[in-house]
Amino acid sequence: MSDPMRPRASLRTAVVWEVLKDALDRRVKANGRESLDVLDTGGGSGNFAVPVARLGHRVTVVDPSPNALFALERRAAEASVADRVHGVQGDAHGLFDVVERGGYDAVLCHGVLEYVDDPAQGVRNVVDALRPEGVLSLLAAGLGGAVLARALAGHFTEARQALHDPDGRWGEGDPVPHRFTAEQLTGLVEGAGLNVAAVHGVRVFADLVPGVLVDTEPGALEALLKLEAAAAELAAFHSVATQLHVLGETPSAGEG
C-alpha cells in the first residue's frame, strides 16, 4: 500500500490517491520534468502533501490552521521530505495573497469546497493557480451519501430535508455548509474552463459497513478496498457516495 494507505485511512483515501498518482505520472511524462509544482489548498497536516512529496514533487500547502501547518511540518520532517513541502497560512478565498497565480502543474482541492461561501468562485480561484497544462484534483462531500446516512440512522425527516435543500443540508445542526451531486461538481469544473477527465465515487460502502466487521474479519479490509475501487467509476454509485472526486484538466493538458 502507498503511504496514505494506513489501514482504516485507506478506505477514505485509496481511490483518490490512485487517481491522483496516475494524473501526476502522466503530467511528468507529458512535460518531461521529473518534479512538478503542486498546490494543496486546505491540505491540513499533509495527508496527501507528504505522499506527493515522496514521489519527488514540490508541494505548497495552504491552510488556515496554524496547528495543522505545524503538524504538516513535523510529518514532512519525519518522512524526510521537509525540503519539498512548504506550508503557508491562508484560504481559498484569498489564495493569491499567499501563492502565485498560474504557478502550479497540479492543484489539490480536497474537503474545501463544502466550506466556501461561493463554490463556483472557489473552483475558479484554484483553477487560476494552474499553469496552461495543469490538472485539478477536486474532492467534495456528496449529497446522496448524506441522505443515505441520515435515513439509515432513522432520521428520515432530515434525510428528506437534505434531499431537497439547495445546499444538501439536513438541518440547522448540519456542520457541512454545502454538499454536491456529481453533475453539480462537474458543472463547476467545466464552468471554470477545465475538461472533466474522470469522476469517482469515494466511500461508497465504507461508511455503511460496521467497523468491527472490517477490523476483525480476516481479509475484509482488502476485499472492501477492492469493492470500493470497482464501484468508484460507475455512475450508478456516484449518487450514494459519501464524497465525490472530479479530475479536471486544462484543455491543453488533455491534448498533451
Side-chain angles (χ1 to χ4, degrees):
M1 270 314 159
S2 302
D3 184 82
M5 307 292 107
R6 290 187 300 276
R8 291 306 296 272
S10 63
L11 291 171
R12 299 189 297 274
T13 59
V15 168
V16 179
W17 174 248
E18 291 305 321
V19 175
L20 176 62
K21 183 177 181 297
D22 179 66
L24 294 176
D25 288 346
R26 285 188 283 109
R27 283 287 89 226
V28 166
K29 292 176 182 176
N31 65 24
R33 288 187 289 113
E34 291 186 2
S35 182
L36 303 176
D37 293 305
V38 179
L39 175 64
D40 189 353
T41 61
S45 59
N47 287 339
F48 280 89
V50 169
V52 168
R54 290 183 69 179
L55 295 176
H57 306 304
R58 296 175 295 273
V59 187
T60 298
V61 176
V62 177
D63 197 279
S65 168
N67 290 337
L69 293 173
F70 178 77
L72 167 71
E73 185 178 343
R74 184 174 64 246
R75 178 182 278 187
E78 291 172 353
S80 301
V81 293
D83 59 326
R84 294 197 293 274
V85 176
H86 175 56
V88 292
Q89 190 172 358
D91 56 33
H93 177 70
L95 190 60
F96 300 114
D97 294 336
V98 294
V99 300
E100 178 187 356
R101 188 183 298 269
Y104 299 90
D105 301 293
V107 174
L108 281 57
C109 184
H110 296 171
V112 172
L113 209 59
E114 298 92 324
Y115 301 98
V116 300
D117 292 335
D118 185 344
Q121 183 59 52
V123 174
R124 287 194 293 269
N125 264 13
V126 294
V127 168
D128 283 347
L130 287 172
R131 287 175 175 152
E133 294 187 357
V135 61
L136 169 68
S137 175
L138 179 64
L139 181 68
L143 169 62
V147 172
L148 190 60
R150 301 314 288 175
L152 291 177
H155 303 300
F156 306 123
T157 300
E158 291 180 350
R160 189 177 73 249
Q161 170 69 19
L163 191 61
H164 295 297
D165 186 82
D167 292 315
R169 290 169 55 81
W170 47 256
E172 289 298 320
D174 192 338
V176 179
H178 304 280
R179 291 188 182 88
F180 305 89
T181 64
E183 291 76 17
Q184 287 171 333
L185 280 184
T186 55
L188 290 174
V189 169
E190 290 172 340
L194 298 188
N195 296 330
V196 173
V199 181
H200 291 85
V202 180
R203 289 156 61 192
V204 174
F205 307 102
D207 292 353
L208 306 177
V209 175
V212 64
L213 188 155
V214 178
D215 292 335
T216 61
E217 188 72 21
L221 177 61
E222 189 64 29
L224 181 54
L225 282 168
K226 290 179 179 178
L227 177 61
E228 288 280 350
E233 292 187 62
L234 301 178
F237 291 100
H238 295 168
S239 60
V240 294
T242 298
Q243 293 176 301
L244 294 164
H245 182 249
V246 177
L247 191 72
E249 296 180 338
T250 59
S252 52
E255 292 163 6

